[in-house]
Coordinates of all heavy atoms in Angstrom, one line a residue:
M1 N 120.3 93.1 111.1 CA 120.2 94.0 110.0 C 119.9 93.2 108.7 O 120.5 92.2 108.4 CB 121.5 94.8 109.8 CG 121.4 95.8 108.7 SD 120.4 97.2 109.2 CE 121.4 98.0 110.4
S2 N 118.9 93.6 108.0 CA 118.5 93.0 106.7 C 118.2 94.0 105.7 O 118.1 95.2 105.9 CB 117.3 92.0 106.9 OG 116.1 92.8 107.0
S3 N 118.1 93.5 104.4 CA 117.6 94.4 103.4 C 116.1 94.3 103.4 O 115.5 93.3 103.9 CB 118.2 93.9 102.0 OG 119.6 94.0 102.1
V4 N 115.5 95.3 102.8 CA 114.0 95.5 102.9 C 113.5 95.8 101.5 O 114.0 96.8 100.8 CB 113.7 96.6 103.8 CG1 112.2 96.9 103.9 CG2 114.2 96.4 105.2
V5 N 112.4 95.1 101.1 CA 111.8 95.5 99.8 C 110.7 96.5 100.1 O 109.9 96.4 101.0 CB 111.1 94.2 99.2 CG1 110.5 94.6 97.8 CG2 112.0 93.0 99.1
T6 N 110.7 97.6 99.3 CA 109.8 98.7 99.5 C 108.8 98.9 98.4 O 108.7 98.1 97.5 CB 110.6 100.0 99.8 OG1 111.3 100.3 98.6 CG2 111.5 99.8 101.0
E7 N 108.1 100.0 98.5 CA 106.9 100.2 97.7 C 107.0 100.1 96.2 O 106.1 99.6 95.5 CB 106.3 101.6 98.0 CG 105.0 101.9 97.3 CD 104.3 103.1 97.9 OE1 105.0 104.0 98.4 OE2 103.0 103.1 97.9
N8 N 108.2 100.4 95.6 CA 108.2 100.4 94.1 C 108.3 99.0 93.6 O 108.1 98.9 92.4 CB 109.5 101.2 93.6 CG 109.2 101.8 92.3 OD1 108.1 102.0 91.9 ND2 110.3 102.0 91.5
C9 N 108.4 98.0 94.4 CA 108.3 96.6 93.9 C 106.9 96.3 93.5 O 106.6 95.4 92.7 CB 108.9 95.7 94.9 SG 108.7 93.9 94.5
I10 N 105.9 96.9 94.2 CA 104.5 96.5 94.0 C 104.1 96.7 92.6 O 104.3 97.8 92.0 CB 103.6 97.4 94.9 CG1 103.9 97.1 96.4 CG2 102.1 97.1 94.6 CD1 103.2 98.0 97.4
K11 N 103.6 95.6 92.0 CA 103.2 95.6 90.6 C 104.3 95.7 89.6 O 104.1 95.7 88.3 CB 102.1 96.6 90.3 CG 100.8 96.3 91.0 CD 99.6 97.2 90.7 CE 98.9 96.9 89.4 NZ 98.2 95.6 89.4
C12 N 105.5 95.8 90.0 CA 106.7 95.7 89.1 C 107.3 94.3 89.2 O 107.3 93.6 88.2 CB 107.8 96.7 89.5 SG 107.4 98.4 89.0
K13 N 107.7 93.9 90.4 CA 108.0 92.5 90.6 C 108.9 91.9 89.6 O 108.6 90.8 89.0 CB 106.7 91.7 90.7 CG 106.7 90.4 91.6 CD 105.4 89.7 91.6 CE 105.3 88.4 92.3 NZ 104.1 87.7 92.1
Y14 N 110.0 92.5 89.4 CA 110.9 92.0 88.3 C 111.7 90.7 88.6 O 112.2 90.1 87.7 CB 112.0 93.2 88.0 CG 111.4 94.2 87.0 CD1 110.9 95.4 87.5 CD2 111.3 93.9 85.7 CE1 110.4 96.4 86.7 CE2 110.8 94.9 84.8 CZ 110.3 96.1 85.3 OH 109.8 97.0 84.5
M15 N 111.8 90.4 89.9 CA 112.4 89.1 90.3 C 113.9 89.0 90.0 O 114.4 87.9 90.2 CB 111.7 87.9 89.7 CG 110.2 88.0 89.9 SD 109.6 86.4 90.6 CE 107.9 86.7 90.6
E16 N 114.6 90.0 89.6 CA 116.1 89.9 89.5 C 116.7 89.6 90.8 O 117.7 88.9 90.9 CB 116.6 91.2 88.9 CG 116.0 91.8 87.7 CD 116.4 91.1 86.4 OE1 117.4 90.4 86.5 OE2 115.8 91.4 85.4
C17 N 116.1 90.1 91.9 CA 116.6 89.9 93.2 C 116.6 88.4 93.6 O 117.5 87.9 94.2 CB 115.7 90.6 94.2 SG 113.9 90.3 94.0
V18 N 115.6 87.7 93.2 CA 115.5 86.2 93.5 C 116.7 85.5 92.9 O 117.2 84.6 93.6 CB 114.2 85.7 93.0 CG1 114.1 84.2 93.2 CG2 113.0 86.3 93.7
A19 N 117.1 85.9 91.7 CA 118.1 85.1 91.0 C 119.5 85.3 91.7 O 120.3 84.4 91.6 CB 118.2 85.7 89.6
V20 N 119.7 86.3 92.4 CA 121.0 86.6 93.0 C 121.1 86.3 94.5 O 122.2 86.2 95.1 CB 121.5 88.0 92.8 CG1 121.7 88.3 91.3 CG2 120.6 89.0 93.4
C21 N 120.0 86.1 95.1 CA 120.0 85.9 96.6 C 120.7 84.6 97.0 O 120.2 83.5 96.6 CB 118.6 85.9 97.1 SG 118.5 85.7 98.9
P22 N 121.7 84.6 97.8 CA 122.4 83.4 98.2 C 121.8 82.7 99.4 O 122.3 81.6 99.8 CB 123.8 83.9 98.5 CG 123.6 85.3 99.0 CD 122.4 85.8 98.3
A23 N 120.8 83.3 100.0 CA 120.3 82.8 101.2 C 118.8 82.5 101.1 O 118.1 82.2 102.1 CB 120.5 83.8 102.3
D24 N 118.2 82.5 99.9 CA 116.8 82.1 99.7 C 115.9 82.9 100.6 O 115.0 82.3 101.3 CB 116.6 80.6 99.9 CG 117.3 79.8 98.9 OD1 117.8 80.3 97.8 OD2 117.5 78.6 99.1
C25 N 116.1 84.2 100.6 CA 115.3 85.1 101.6 C 114.0 85.5 101.1 O 113.2 86.0 101.9 CB 116.1 86.4 101.8 SG 117.6 86.2 102.6
F26 N 113.7 85.4 99.8 CA 112.5 86.0 99.2 C 111.3 85.2 99.4 O 111.3 84.0 99.2 CB 112.8 86.4 97.7 CG 113.7 87.6 97.6 CD1 115.1 87.4 97.6 CD2 113.2 88.9 97.6 CE1 115.9 88.5 97.5 CE2 114.0 90.0 97.6 CZ 115.4 89.8 97.5
H27 N 110.2 85.9 99.6 CA 108.9 85.3 99.7 C 107.9 86.0 98.8 O 108.0 87.3 98.7 CB 108.3 85.3 101.1 CG 109.1 84.4 102.0 ND1 108.6 83.2 102.6 CD2 110.4 84.5 102.5 CE1 109.6 82.6 103.3 NE2 110.7 83.4 103.3
E28 N 107.0 85.3 98.1 CA 106.2 85.9 97.0 C 104.8 86.0 97.4 O 104.1 85.0 97.8 CB 106.4 85.0 95.8 CG 105.6 85.6 94.6 CD 105.6 84.6 93.4 OE1 105.8 83.4 93.6 OE2 105.3 85.1 92.3
G29 N 104.3 87.2 97.2 CA 102.8 87.5 97.2 C 102.3 87.7 95.8 O 103.1 87.6 94.8
P30 N 101.0 88.0 95.7 CA 100.4 88.2 94.4 C 101.1 89.2 93.5 O 101.2 89.1 92.3 CB 99.0 88.5 94.7 CG 98.7 87.9 96.0 CD 100.0 88.1 96.8
N31 N 101.5 90.4 94.1 CA 102.1 91.4 93.2 C 103.3 92.1 93.9 O 103.6 93.3 93.6 CB 101.0 92.5 92.8 CG 100.4 93.2 94.0 OD1 100.8 93.0 95.1 ND2 99.4 94.0 93.7
F32 N 103.9 91.4 94.8 CA 105.0 92.0 95.6 C 105.9 90.9 96.2 O 105.4 89.8 96.4 CB 104.4 92.8 96.7 CG 105.3 93.6 97.6 CD1 106.3 94.5 97.1 CD2 105.2 93.5 99.0 CE1 107.1 95.2 98.0 CE2 106.0 94.2 99.9 CZ 106.9 95.1 99.3
L33 N 107.1 91.2 96.4 CA 108.0 90.2 97.1 C 108.5 90.9 98.4 O 108.6 92.1 98.5 CB 109.2 89.9 96.2 CG 109.2 88.6 95.5 CD1 108.0 88.5 94.6 CD2 110.5 88.4 94.7
V34 N 108.8 90.0 99.4 CA 109.4 90.5 100.6 C 110.6 89.7 101.0 O 110.8 88.6 100.4 CB 108.4 90.5 101.8 CG1 107.3 91.5 101.6 CG2 107.8 89.1 102.0
I35 N 111.4 90.2 101.9 CA 112.6 89.5 102.4 C 112.3 89.1 103.8 O 111.8 89.8 104.6 CB 113.8 90.5 102.3 CG1 114.2 90.7 100.9 CG2 115.0 89.9 103.1 CD1 115.3 91.8 100.7
D36 N 112.7 87.8 104.1 CA 112.6 87.3 105.5 C 113.8 87.9 106.2 O 115.0 87.5 105.9 CB 112.6 85.8 105.5 CG 112.5 85.2 106.9 OD1 112.7 86.0 107.9 OD2 112.3 84.0 107.0
P37 N 113.6 88.8 107.2 CA 114.8 89.4 107.8 C 115.6 88.4 108.7 O 116.7 88.6 109.0 CB 114.1 90.5 108.7 CG 112.7 90.0 108.9 CD 112.3 89.3 107.7
A38 N 115.0 87.3 109.0 CA 115.7 86.3 109.8 C 116.7 85.5 108.9 O 117.6 84.9 109.5 CB 114.7 85.3 110.4
K39 N 116.5 85.5 107.6 CA 117.4 84.8 106.7 C 118.4 85.7 106.0 O 119.5 85.2 105.6 CB 116.6 84.1 105.6 CG 115.7 82.9 106.1 CD 115.2 82.2 104.8 CE 113.8 81.7 105.0 NZ 113.2 81.4 103.7
C40 N 118.1 87.0 105.9 CA 118.9 87.9 105.1 C 120.3 88.1 105.7 O 120.4 88.3 106.9 CB 118.2 89.2 104.9 SG 119.1 90.4 104.0
M41 N 121.3 88.0 104.9 CA 122.7 88.2 105.4 C 123.2 89.6 105.0 O 124.3 89.9 105.3 CB 123.6 87.2 104.7 CG 123.2 85.7 104.8 SD 124.4 84.6 104.1 CE 124.5 85.2 102.4
N42 N 122.3 90.4 104.4 CA 122.6 91.7 104.0 C 123.8 91.8 103.1 O 124.6 92.7 103.2 CB 122.8 92.6 105.3 CG 122.4 94.0 105.1 OD1 121.5 94.3 104.2 ND2 122.9 95.0 105.8
C43 N 123.8 90.9 102.1 CA 124.9 90.9 101.2 C 124.8 92.0 100.2 O 125.7 92.3 99.5 CB 124.9 89.5 100.4 SG 123.5 89.3 99.3
T44 N 123.6 92.6 100.0 CA 123.2 93.7 99.2 C 123.2 93.4 97.7 O 123.0 94.3 96.9 CB 124.1 95.0 99.4 OG1 125.4 94.7 98.9 CG2 124.2 95.3 100.9
L45 N 123.4 92.1 97.3 CA 123.3 91.8 95.9 C 122.0 92.2 95.3 O 121.9 92.7 94.1 CB 123.6 90.3 95.7 CG 125.0 89.8 95.9 CD1 125.1 88.3 95.9 CD2 126.0 90.5 94.9
C46 N 120.9 92.0 96.0 CA 119.6 92.3 95.5 C 119.4 93.8 95.3 O 118.7 94.2 94.4 CB 118.5 91.7 96.4 SG 118.5 92.3 98.1
I47 N 120.0 94.5 96.1 CA 119.8 96.0 96.0 C 120.4 96.5 94.7 O 119.9 97.3 94.0 CB 120.6 96.7 97.2 CG1 119.9 96.3 98.5 CG2 120.6 98.2 97.0 CD1 120.6 96.8 99.8
V48 N 121.6 95.9 94.3 CA 122.3 96.3 93.1 C 121.5 95.9 91.9 O 121.4 96.7 90.9 CB 123.7 95.6 93.1 CG1 124.4 95.9 91.8 CG2 124.5 96.0 94.3
V49 N 120.8 94.7 91.9 CA 120.2 94.2 90.6 C 118.8 94.7 90.4 O 118.3 94.6 89.3 CB 120.3 92.7 90.5 CG1 121.7 92.2 90.5 CG2 119.5 92.0 91.6
C50 N 118.1 95.1 91.5 CA 116.7 95.5 91.3 C 116.6 96.7 90.3 O 117.2 97.8 90.5 CB 116.0 95.9 92.6 SG 114.3 96.5 92.3
P51 N 115.9 96.5 89.1 CA 115.9 97.6 88.1 C 115.1 98.8 88.5 O 115.2 99.8 87.8 CB 115.3 96.9 86.9 CG 114.6 95.7 87.4 CD 115.2 95.3 88.7
V52 N 114.3 98.7 89.6 CA 113.5 99.9 89.9 C 113.9 100.4 91.3 O 113.2 101.3 91.9 CB 112.0 99.6 89.9 CG1 111.6 99.2 88.5 CG2 111.6 98.4 90.8
G53 N 115.1 100.0 91.8 CA 115.6 100.5 93.1 C 114.6 100.3 94.3 O 114.5 101.2 95.1
A54 N 114.0 99.2 94.3 CA 113.0 99.0 95.4 C 113.5 98.4 96.7 O 112.8 98.4 97.7 CB 111.9 98.0 94.9
I55 N 114.8 98.0 96.7 CA 115.4 97.4 97.9 C 116.4 98.3 98.6 O 117.3 98.9 97.9 CB 116.0 96.0 97.6 CG1 115.0 95.2 96.8 CG2 116.4 95.3 98.9 CD1 115.5 93.8 96.4
Y56 N 116.3 98.4 99.9 CA 117.3 99.2 100.7 C 117.8 98.4 101.8 O 117.1 97.5 102.3 CB 116.6 100.4 101.3 CG 116.0 101.4 100.3 CD1 114.8 101.3 99.8 CD2 116.8 102.6 100.0 CE1 114.3 102.2 98.9 CE2 116.3 103.5 99.1 CZ 115.0 103.3 98.5 OH 114.5 104.2 97.7
M57 N 119.0 98.7 102.3 CA 119.5 98.2 103.6 C 118.5 98.9 104.6 O 118.1 100.0 104.5 CB 120.9 98.6 103.8 CG 121.9 97.8 103.0 SD 123.6 98.0 103.6 CE 124.0 99.5 102.9
Q58 N 118.3 98.1 105.7 CA 117.3 98.5 106.6 C 117.5 100.0 107.1 O 116.6 100.8 107.2 CB 117.2 97.6 107.8 CG 116.1 97.8 108.8 CD 116.0 96.8 109.8 OE1 116.2 95.6 109.6 NE2 115.7 97.2 111.0
H59 N 118.7 100.3 107.4 CA 119.0 101.6 108.0 C 118.9 102.7 107.0 O 119.0 103.9 107.3 CB 120.3 101.6 108.8 CG 121.5 101.5 107.9 ND1 121.9 100.3 107.4 CD2 122.4 102.4 107.4 CE1 123.0 100.5 106.6 NE2 123.3 101.7 106.6
E60 N 118.8 102.4 105.7 CA 118.7 103.4 104.6 C 117.3 103.5 104.0 O 117.1 104.2 103.1 CB 119.7 103.1 103.5 CG 121.1 103.2 104.0 CD 122.2 103.0 103.0 OE1 121.9 102.4 101.9 OE2 123.3 103.4 103.2
V61 N 116.3 102.7 104.6 CA 114.9 102.8 104.1 C 114.5 104.3 104.3 O 114.6 104.8 105.4 CB 114.0 101.8 104.8 CG1 112.6 102.1 104.4 CG2 114.4 100.4 104.5
P62 N 114.0 104.9 103.3 CA 113.5 106.3 103.4 C 112.4 106.4 104.5 O 111.6 105.5 104.7 CB 112.9 106.6 102.0 CG 113.6 105.7 101.1 CD 113.8 104.4 101.9
E63 N 112.4 107.5 105.2 CA 111.5 107.7 106.4 C 110.1 107.4 106.0 O 109.4 106.7 106.8 CB 111.6 109.1 106.8 CG 111.1 109.4 108.2 CD 111.7 108.5 109.3 OE1 112.9 108.3 109.3 OE2 110.9 108.0 110.2
I64 N 109.6 107.8 104.9 CA 108.2 107.6 104.4 C 107.9 106.1 104.2 O 106.7 105.8 104.1 CB 107.9 108.5 103.2 CG1 106.4 108.7 103.0 CG2 108.6 108.0 102.0 CD1 106.1 109.8 102.1
Q65 N 108.9 105.3 104.1 CA 108.7 103.9 103.8 C 109.1 103.0 104.9 O 109.2 101.8 104.7 CB 109.4 103.5 102.5 CG 108.9 104.2 101.3 CD 109.2 103.5 100.0 OE1 108.6 102.4 99.7 NE2 110.1 104.0 99.2
R66 N 109.3 103.5 106.1 CA 109.8 102.7 107.2 C 108.8 101.6 107.6 O 109.1 100.6 108.1 CB 110.0 103.6 108.5 CG 111.0 104.7 108.3 CD 112.5 104.2 108.1 NE 113.0 103.6 109.3 CZ 114.3 103.0 109.3 NH1 115.0 103.1 108.2 NH2 114.7 102.5 110.4
N67 N 107.5 101.8 107.2 CA 106.5 100.8 107.5 C 106.8 99.5 106.7 O 106.3 98.4 107.1 CB 105.1 101.3 107.2 CG 105.0 101.8 105.8 OD1 105.9 102.4 105.2 ND2 103.8 101.7 105.2
F68 N 107.6 99.6 105.7 CA 107.9 98.3 104.9 C 108.8 97.4 105.7 O 108.9 96.2 105.3 CB 108.5 98.7 103.5 CG 107.4 99.1 102.5 CD1 106.9 100.3 102.5 CD2 106.9 98.1 101.7 CE1 105.9 100.7 101.6 CE2 105.8 98.4 100.8 CZ 105.3 99.7 100.8
I69 N 109.5 97.9 106.7 CA 110.4 97.0 107.5 C 109.5 96.0 108.2 O 109.8 94.8 108.1 CB 111.2 97.9 108.5 CG1 112.2 98.8 107.7 CG2 112.0 96.9 109.4 CD1 112.9 99.8 108.6
E70 N 108.5 96.4 108.8 CA 107.5 95.5 109.5 C 106.8 94.7 108.5 O 106.5 93.5 108.7 CB 106.5 96.3 110.3 CG 107.0 96.5 111.7 CD 105.9 97.1 112.6 OE1 104.7 96.9 112.3 OE2 106.2 97.8 113.5
L71 N 106.4 95.3 107.4 CA 105.7 94.5 106.3 C 106.5 93.4 105.8 O 105.9 92.3 105.6 CB 105.3 95.5 105.2 CG 104.1 95.2 104.4 CD1 102.8 95.0 105.2 CD2 103.8 96.3 103.4
N72 N 107.8 93.5 105.6 CA 108.6 92.4 105.1 C 108.6 91.3 106.1 O 108.4 90.1 105.8 CB 110.0 92.9 104.8 CG 110.2 93.5 103.5 OD1 111.0 93.0 102.6 ND2 109.5 94.6 103.2
E73 N 108.7 91.6 107.4 CA 108.7 90.6 108.4 C 107.4 89.9 108.5 O 107.3 88.7 108.6 CB 109.1 91.3 109.8 CG 109.2 90.3 110.9 CD 109.8 90.9 112.2 OE1 109.9 92.1 112.2 OE2 110.2 90.1 113.0
E74 N 106.3 90.7 108.5 CA 105.0 90.1 108.6 C 104.6 89.2 107.5 O 104.2 88.1 107.7 CB 104.0 91.3 108.7 CG 102.5 90.8 108.8 CD 101.5 92.0 108.4 OE1 101.9 93.2 108.5 OE2 100.4 91.6 108.0
L75 N 104.8 89.7 106.3 CA 104.3 88.9 105.1 C 105.3 87.7 104.8 O 104.8 86.7 104.3 CB 104.2 89.8 103.9 CG 103.2 90.9 104.0 CD1 103.3 91.8 102.8 CD2 101.8 90.4 104.2
S76 N 106.5 87.8 105.1 CA 107.4 86.7 104.9 C 107.1 85.5 105.8 O 107.5 84.3 105.5 CB 108.9 87.1 105.0 OG 109.2 87.4 106.4
A77 N 106.4 85.7 106.8 CA 106.0 84.6 107.7 C 104.9 83.7 107.1 O 104.8 82.5 107.5 CB 105.5 85.2 109.0
F78 N 104.1 84.2 106.1 CA 103.1 83.3 105.6 C 103.1 83.3 104.1 O 102.5 82.4 103.5 CB 101.7 83.6 106.2 CG 101.2 85.0 105.9 CD1 100.4 85.2 104.8 CD2 101.4 86.0 106.7 CE1 99.8 86.4 104.5 CE2 100.9 87.3 106.5 CZ 100.1 87.5 105.3
W79 N 103.8 84.1 103.4 CA 103.9 84.0 101.9 C 104.9 82.9 101.6 O 105.9 82.7 102.3 CB 104.3 85.3 101.3 CG 103.2 86.3 101.1 CD1 101.9 86.1 101.3 CD2 103.3 87.6 100.6 NE1 101.2 87.2 101.0 CE2 102.0 88.1 100.5 CE3 104.4 88.4 100.2 CZ2 101.8 89.4 100.1 CZ3 104.2 89.7 99.7 CH2 102.9 90.2 99.7
P80 N 104.7 82.1 100.5 CA 105.7 81.0 100.2 C 107.0 81.6 99.8 O 107.1 82.6 99.1 CB 105.0 80.3 99.1 CG 104.0 81.3 98.5 CD 103.6 82.2 99.6
S81 N 108.0 80.8 100.0 CA 109.4 81.1 99.6 C 109.5 81.0 98.1 O 108.8 80.2 97.5 CB 110.4 80.1 100.3 OG 111.7 80.3 99.8
I82 N 110.3 81.9 97.5 CA 110.6 81.8 96.0 C 112.1 81.8 95.8 O 112.8 82.7 96.3 CB 109.8 82.9 95.2 CG1 110.2 82.7 93.7 CG2 110.1 84.2 95.7 CD1 109.3 83.6 92.8
T83 N 112.6 80.8 95.1 CA 114.0 80.7 94.9 C 114.4 80.7 93.4 O 115.6 80.7 93.1 CB 114.6 79.4 95.6 OG1 113.9 78.3 95.0 CG2 114.4 79.4 97.1
T84 N 113.4 80.6 92.6 CA 113.6 80.6 91.1 C 112.8 81.7 90.5 O 111.6 81.8 90.7 CB 113.2 79.3 90.4 OG1 113.9 78.2 91.1 CG2 113.5 79.3 89.0
P85 N 113.4 82.7 89.8 CA 112.7 83.8 89.3 C 111.7 83.4 88.3 O 111.9 82.5 87.5 CB 113.8 84.7 88.7 CG 115.1 84.1 88.9 CD 114.9 82.7 89.5
K86 N 110.6 84.1 88.2 CA 109.6 84.0 87.1 C 109.6 85.2 86.3 O 110.3 86.2 86.6 CB 108.2 83.8 87.8 CG 108.0 82.6 88.7 CD 106.7 82.7 89.4 CE 106.5 81.7 90.5 NZ 105.3 81.9 91.3
S87 N 108.8 85.2 85.2 CA 108.7 86.4 84.4 C 108.0 87.5 85.2 O 107.0 87.3 85.9 CB 107.9 86.1 83.1 OG 108.6 85.1 82.4
P88 N 108.4 88.8 85.0 CA 107.7 89.9 85.6 C 106.3 90.1 84.9 O 106.1 89.6 83.8 CB 108.6 91.1 85.4 CG 109.5 90.7 84.3 CD 109.6 89.2 84.3
P89 N 105.4 90.8 85.5 CA 104.1 91.1 84.9 C 104.4 91.9 83.6 O 105.4 92.6 83.4 CB 103.4 92.1 85.9 CG 104.1 91.9 87.2 CD 105.5 91.5 86.9
S90 N 103.5 91.6 82.6 CA 103.8 92.2 81.2 C 103.7 93.8 81.3 O 104.3 94.4 80.4 CB 102.7 91.7 80.2 OG 101.4 92.0 80.7
D91 N 103.0 94.3 82.3 CA 102.9 95.8 82.3 C 103.8 96.4 83.5 O 103.6 97.5 83.9 CB 101.4 96.2 82.6 CG 100.9 95.7 83.9 OD1 101.5 94.8 84.5 OD2 99.8 96.2 84.3
A92 N 104.8 95.6 83.9 CA 105.7 96.0 85.0 C 106.2 97.4 84.8 O 106.3 98.3 85.7 CB 106.8 95.0 85.2
H93 N 106.7 97.7 83.6 CA 107.3 99.0 83.3 C 106.4 100.2 83.5 O 106.9 101.3 83.8 CB 107.9 99.0 81.8 CG 106.8 98.9 80.8 ND1 106.1 97.7 80.5 CD2 106.2 99.8 80.0 CE1 105.2 97.8 79.6 NE2 105.3 99.1 79.2
K94 N 105.1 100.0 83.4 CA 104.2 101.1 83.6 C 104.1 101.5 85.0 O 103.6 102.6 85.3 CB 102.8 100.7 83.1 CG 102.7 100.4 81.6 CD 101.2 100.1 81.3 CE 101.1 99.7 79.8 NZ 99.8 99.2 79.5
W95 N 104.5 100.6 85.9 CA 104.3 100.9 87.4 C 105.5 101.4 88.1 O 105.5 101.8 89.2 CB 103.8 99.6 88.1 CG 102.4 99.2 87.6 CD1 102.1 98.3 86.7 CD2 101.2 99.8 88.1 NE1 100.7 98.3 86.5 CE2 100.2 99.1 87.4 CE3 100.9 100.7 89.1 CZ2 98.8 99.5 87.6 CZ3 99.6 101.0 89.3 CH2 98.5 100.4 88.6
N96 N 106.6 101.5 87.4 CA 107.8 102.0 88.0 C 107.7 103.5 88.4 O 107.4 104.3 87.5 CB 109.0 101.8 87.0 CG 110.3 102.3 87.6 OD1 110.5 102.5 88.8 ND2 111.3 102.6 86.8
G97 N 107.8 103.8 89.6 CA 107.8 105.1 90.1 C 106.4 105.7 90.3 O 106.3 106.8 90.7
I98 N 105.4 104.9 90.1 CA 104.0 105.4 90.4 C 103.8 105.5 91.9 O 104.1 104.5 92.7 CB 102.9 104.4 89.9 CG1 103.1 104.2 88.3 CG2 101.5 104.8 90.2 CD1 102.8 105.5 87.5
P99 N 103.4 106.6 92.4 CA 103.3 106.8 93.9 C 102.1 106.1 94.5 O 101.2 105.7 93.8 CB 103.2 108.3 94.1 CG 102.6 108.8 92.8 CD 103.1 107.8 91.7
H100 N 102.2 105.9 95.8 CA 101.0 105.3 96.6 C 100.6 104.0 96.1 O 99.4 103.6 96.1 CB 99.8 106.3 96.5 CG 100.2 107.7 96.8 ND1 100.9 108.1 98.0 CD2 100.1 108.9 96.1 CE1 101.1 109.4 98.0 NE2 100.6 109.9 96.8
K101 N 101.6 103.1 95.8 CA 101.2 101.8 95.4 C 100.9 100.8 96.5 O 100.3 99.8 96.3 CB 102.3 101.1 94.5 CG 102.5 101.8 93.2 CD 103.3 100.9 92.2 CE 104.8 100.9 92.5 NZ 105.6 100.1 91.6
L102 N 101.2 101.3 97.7 CA 100.8 100.4 98.9 C 99.4 100.0 98.9 O 99.0 98.9 99.3 CB 101.3 101.1 100.2 CG 101.0 100.3 101.5 CD1 101.7 98.9 101.4 CD2 101.5 101.0 102.7
A103 N 98.5 101.0 98.5 CA 97.1 100.7 98.4 C 96.7 99.6 97.5 O 95.6 99.0 97.5 CB 96.3 102.0 98.0
L104 N 97.6 99.2 96.6 CA 97.4 98.2 95.6 C 98.0 96.9 96.0 O 97.9 95.9 95.2 CB 98.0 98.6 94.2 CG 97.5 100.0 93.7 CD1 98.3 100.3 92.4 CD2 96.0 99.9 93.4
L105 N 98.6 96.8 97.1 CA 99.3 95.6 97.6 C 98.2 94.5 97.8 O 97.3 94.7 98.5 CB 100.0 95.8 98.9 CG 100.6 94.6 99.6 CD1 101.8 94.0 98.7 CD2 101.1 94.9 100.9
A106 N 98.4 93.4 97.1 CA 97.5 92.2 97.2 C 98.1 91.2 98.2 O 99.2 90.9 98.1 CB 97.2 91.6 95.9
R107 N 97.3 90.8 99.1 CA 97.7 89.7 100.0 C 97.1 88.4 99.6 O 97.2 87.4 100.2 CB 97.3 90.1 101.5 CG 98.0 91.4 101.9 CD 97.5 91.8 103.3 NE 98.2 93.0 103.7 CZ 98.9 93.1 104.8 NH1 99.1 92.1 105.6 NH2 99.4 94.3 105.1
Ligands
F3S201 FE1 110.7 93.6 93.2 FE2 113.0 94.6 92.4 FE3 112.9 92.1 93.2 S1 111.0 95.0 91.5 S2 110.8 91.5 92.7 S3 112.5 93.9 94.4 S4 114.0 92.9 91.4

């Protein structure tokens, strides 16, 4: 069981999650972060600190976003690990809650 980053992280990428992760689980893509399920201890710290509510425990991922479980596993295999937070995009606040952001995911 791991935590899962879902759609609302895309283009928000606040990185608060990276700062609290005790297991260095996060991997960074151009406009989204994912969790390596093999490393995640499911401590849930990242769920608490994400300002846009983008992270769920795996069994609580909303039905419409279940595809993000596989996406975290797939992308964490080749995106680089990130253990130090960076600044979020300057327009991050504009993307919070915008629907259908999966189409904007950059690999
Ligand atoms: Fe994304 Fe939230 Fe982390 S927006 S980068 S999951 S703090």
